[in-house]
Amino acid sequence: MPKEILSYYLKNRDSQIRLGFQIALQCAPFLKRLKVSCVITMDAGLYGTLEKIFRGMDIAWHCLSQSEGKCLILFYRPLQMEEYLSEGKVRALLREYGYGGMDLEEMLDRLSGRIRAFSGKGMGFPHEIGAFLGYPVEDVRGFIENEGQKYLMIGYWKVYNDLACARVTFKEYDRAKNCAVNEFLIGKSIREIAL
């Protein structure tokens, strides 16, 4: 994708166009149902715009943290997210970090609290965020055990297991991104881009 297009849309004076482009660019694999969720950092002043963008869609969002005029937003489809988080390996990993016996909203509130606590200590993100983003559990565990080092490949996440599968997934994500951005550029709304 040409840098000029990225620059134009990310610097556009119309904040709603800028936000729509950001969502199409950064959330494409989620919008195209290849991922269970996605996160973006956006201007806190635009948070109210999300209702207009996603009205009537099966997409929900949760503010994970907010500081210095920015907020970190998790987008997800509630039914798919609940289903995913209840899978055995994912549930076991999250239980290790204190997420046992919680419904989805309670889990997201706990994740938000942990993100704020980690940020306050200058520690980045709690490792379990990878599970909420649909990263393979083996790769989340690999990241934790190797302290972010000794990975096989880096792309949409750091890969520690099944390199072939990750390569295929990353290519699918790239295709989704190109598709979503091109659809946005020809005037489609986020509703039309999302499957």
Side-chain angles (χ1 to χ4, degrees), residues 35-39 64 74-76 81 84-85 90 93-94 99 104 106-111 127-135 140:
K35 279 188 90 221
V36 70
S37 64
C38 67
V39 292
L64 296 174
L74 175 79
F75 295 102
Y76 61 99
M81 184 68 125
Y84 172 75
L85 295 177
V90 177
L93 174 70
L94 291 176
Y99 293 87
L104 179 56
E106 291 170 323
M107 292 174 90
L108 295 178
D109 287 341
R110 175 165 174 71
L111 178 62
H127 299 312
E128 73 270 17
I129 194 170
F132 286 93
L133 293 172
Y135 301 165
V140 175

Side-chain angles (χ1 to χ4, degrees), residues 47-62:
Y47 185 79
T49 307
L50 297 176
E51 176 62 38
K52 180 180 177 186
I53 293 172
F54 294 107
R55 184 177 293 130
M57 298 176 71
D58 66 341
I59 294 174
W61 55 93
H62 189 94

Side-chain angles (χ1 to χ4, degrees), residues 83-95 137 141:
E83 208 173 273
Y84 172 75
L85 295 177
S86 69
E87 290 177 9
K89 289 192 289 187
V90 177
R91 187 175 61 239
L93 174 70
L94 291 176
R95 198 175 296 125
V137 170
R141 287 195 184 283

Side-chain angles (χ1 to χ4, degrees), residues 2-48:
K3 287 186 280 187
E4 296 80 19
I5 291 175
L6 286 172
S7 179
Y8 170 76
Y9 275 95
L10 293 175
K11 292 179 181 178
N12 194 301
R13 290 182 187 261
D14 186 322
S15 59
Q16 290 186 18
I17 289 175
R18 204 170 51 243
L19 179 58
F21 182 76
Q22 181 184 5
I23 291 169
L25 177 68
Q26 295 177 339
C27 299
F30 165 72
L31 294 173
K32 298 296 187 184
R33 295 186 182 267
L34 298 174
K35 279 188 90 221
V36 70
S37 64
C38 67
V39 292
I40 65 168
T41 300
M42 58 178 273
D43 292 333
L46 294 175
Y47 185 79

Side-chain angles (χ1 to χ4, degrees), residues 32 35 49 59 68 85 101 117 149 169 171 176 181 191:
K32 298 296 187 184
K35 279 188 90 221
T49 307
I59 294 174
E68 300 177 13
L85 295 177
Q149 302 300 313
T169 300
K171 284 181 183 180
V181 167
R191 172 184 304 281

Side-chain angles (χ1 to χ4, degrees), residues 170-186:
F170 291 172
K171 284 181 183 180
E172 289 175 356
Y173 287 5
D174 287 342
R175 279 194 295 273
K177 185 185 293 187
N178 286 334
C179 180
V181 167
N182 286 332
E183 288 174 333
F184 187 85
L185 294 175
I186 63 168

